[in-house]
Amino acid sequence: MTVLWTAQDAAVATNGRISGDWDGVTGLSIDTRELVPGDMFVALEGITHDGHVYVRQALDAGAGAALVSHVPDGCEGANLLVVDDTLTALQALGVAGRARAAAKVIGVTGSVGKTSTKEMLRSILAPQGRTHAATRSFNNHWGVPLTLARMPADTEFAVIEIGMNHAGEITPLSQMSRPDVALITTVEAVHLEAFDSVEGIADAKAEIFAGLVPGGAAILNADNPHFERLSTAAQAAKAKITSFGRASDDFHLKDVQTSGQATTISADIRGNATLIKLGTPGAHFALNALGALAAAEAAGADIGRAALDLGSWSPPDGRGSHVRLALPDGEILLLDESYNANPASVGAALAVLAASEPGRGPHRPGRRVAFLGDMLELGPTEIALHEGLAGLDAIDRIDKIHACGSRMKALHDALPVDKRGVFCADSVQLADAVEKVVDAGDVCMVKGSLGAAMRHVVSALRALGTPLSDSHTSEREDA
């Protein structure tokens, strides 16, 4: 395999000391469960665990070396790179990885749609050049430098997802990434417990312009109420602004049609009529698709080819993937939205469920069934925001809503009686009830914040049958 970091280059980048006899490593890992032989294991020190405990295990599993701040017991003379602090060293590797690559870097942030848009960009850029993007949602203080440090030197396009929970978090990640293109998908009422207003969230998202290279591009959602605020911040960074959305004159969204298996987007891109087809339903994916195309164009990709290649994209697991499951007496369709949740994304997921077409069971028509867990980090208005979901138009077309969590109890109580399903204290209890409330022909959508652990409900639904189709993207990293 190709060497990612020579021992000498890694030592220079981190100001570290080489121990043992190793020439280089072919990858980086922070988790022994995902380590590939030849990787450098990075022993990060967290609040609840210390990666140094697993160094010997990583070396025994084939790690080419380990990045450590001290020599763990049993590792004397082993292949190590010893540094003052492993997180600081990982960040230094990220900076060096960005500096040595001539890639066009696209930074993606936003309240909703970051990961889906990142994966769209991966799909449309990979056919046009060596493309690197993070696995999963590696978008925080260790995820961004890890992604940058994993970037091969010959990368042509890189897509870096950048997230935040508090003000000030995006600035250092943007300065580390130095994006040529900065895309903000949208600004919504999320992480409100850390902000006084949604305007504060918009300002935090605008921090992505802090590291924008001179003459870089800003891609902004013209339909978002905070477009002008974001535009002002982009102009202050001397960015070239391109907009997308129904209110945009650049990447103008004209119409969206959804069916059981697809989304058809009619757009006007700089005066050219364009038809885009996604192989998954969801009107909310339309704006993400146009934002991705605008970012790809700004990075130098062929826009016509990119629009065609969007047809091969499908949502990542937990973010809208579709799985058909065969039961003894029919089948069910699972819409897996379990990775995260906020009012905007829950509304979008419920709209997809409402537009779905259930099948036919052995005894009755199938139903549209939702399993909802708590939306977290919404601050003092969290109960009202949960209760407010009952007023969404999509609710009218949904047959049953099963819920769990102390916050989602507000929605359960606000629903019409005929739509109230099972209510449980947590997702484990709700998972136990799945077999009793689902029948052949049903379409089942699962949604909740990561902390609500709705993966238990997804696992219970998957256990009901055998997958007939599985629409999701791989978690392996392209480079």
Side-chain angles (χ1 to χ4, degrees), residues 254-342:
K254 295 171 63 179
D255 187 51
V256 182
Q257 298 292 328
T258 61
S259 64
Q261 298 297 322
T263 301
T264 302
I265 305 163
S266 297
D268 188 297
I269 298 178
R270 304 197 188 284
N272 297 312
T274 305
L275 190 66
I276 303 161
K277 188 170 183 179
L278 305 178
T280 190
H284 58 295
F285 290 134
L287 283 177
N288 294 343
L290 288 183
L293 287 175
E297 179 196 59
D302 182 285
I303 193 71
R305 184 177 177 186
L308 289 174
D309 286 333
L310 268 174
S312 65
W313 172 81
S314 58
D317 283 338
R319 299 179 185 273
S321 60
H322 291 198
V323 185
R324 290 196 174 277
L325 299 164
L327 277 59
D329 53 356
E331 64 180 59
I332 62 172
L333 175 60
L334 167 61
L335 312 182
D336 182 2
E337 290 271 6
S338 61
Y339 188 81
N340 216 338
N342 55 60

Side-chain angles (χ1 to χ4, degrees), residues 24-114:
V25 293
T26 54
L28 294 177
S29 175
I30 60 171
D31 189 335
T32 55
R33 295 167 297 183
E34 299 177 358
L35 185 141
V36 175
D39 280 353
M40 175 186 284
F41 175 69
V42 182
L44 293 177
E45 299 177 65
I47 297 174
T48 59
H49 71 280
D50 182 352
H52 290 82
V53 173
Y54 303 100
V55 170
R56 184 69 263 169
Q57 179 182 337
L59 294 170
D60 290 343
L67 182 66
V68 298
S69 60
H70 63 271
V71 180
D73 292 340
C75 296
E76 296 79 5
N79 293 346
L80 305 173
L81 182 57
V82 186
V83 297
D84 291 336
D85 179 85
T86 53
L87 177 58
T88 300
L90 176 61
Q91 293 168 340
L93 276 178
V95 170
R98 172 65 179 98
R100 71 180 183 179
K104 287 293 185 180
V105 175
I106 301 173
V108 181
T109 193
S111 300
V112 182
K114 291 186 297 296

Side-chain angles (χ1 to χ4, degrees), residues 381-396:
T381 62
E382 62 179 9
I383 298 302
L385 289 171
H386 283 77
E387 185 178 40
L389 297 174
L392 294 174
D393 292 341
I395 296 292
D396 291 340

Side-chain angles (χ1 to χ4, degrees), residues 115-196:
T115 301
S116 294
T117 303
K118 177 200 72 179
E119 292 300 332
M120 286 181 179
L121 281 163
R122 187 204 299 267
S123 292
I124 62 182
L125 292 172
Q128 301 193 40
R130 289 181 292 276
T131 298
H132 175 80
T135 56
R136 299 192 295 276
S137 294
F138 284 179
N139 61 23
N140 61 6
H141 65 289
W142 57 259
V144 170
L146 178 62
T147 300
L148 292 168
R150 284 174 165 174
M151 180 165 58
D154 63 352
T155 299
E156 295 173 276
F157 298 108
V159 189
I160 311 299
E161 182 180 341
I162 302 177
M164 64 91 189
N165 292 315
H166 297 81
E169 291 180 333
I170 287 180
T171 292
L173 300 180
S174 176
Q175 292 171 336
M176 188 183 304
S177 304
R178 291 192 296 111
D180 298 278
V181 183
L183 165 61
I184 301 178
T185 59
T186 190
V187 174
E188 303 288 350
V190 300
H191 307 307
L192 277 173
E193 66 181 12
F195 293 90
D196 293 331

Side-chain angles (χ1 to χ4, degrees), residues 369-425:
V369 182
F371 294 84
L372 301 179
D374 284 348
M375 302 182 293
L376 304 179
E377 300 182 17
L378 294 181
T381 62
E382 62 179 9
I383 298 302
L385 289 171
H386 283 77
E387 185 178 40
L389 297 174
L392 294 174
D393 292 341
I395 296 292
D396 291 340
R397 285 178 53 81
I398 296 172
D399 297 289
K400 286 291 180 183
I401 298 178
H402 307 291
C404 63
S406 59
R407 299 164 182 82
M408 200 54 76
K409 181 68 162 59
L411 170 62
H412 179 79
D413 292 344
L415 288 170
V417 174
D418 65 320
K419 295 186 182 294
R420 289 182 198 166
V422 170
F423 176 80
C424 298

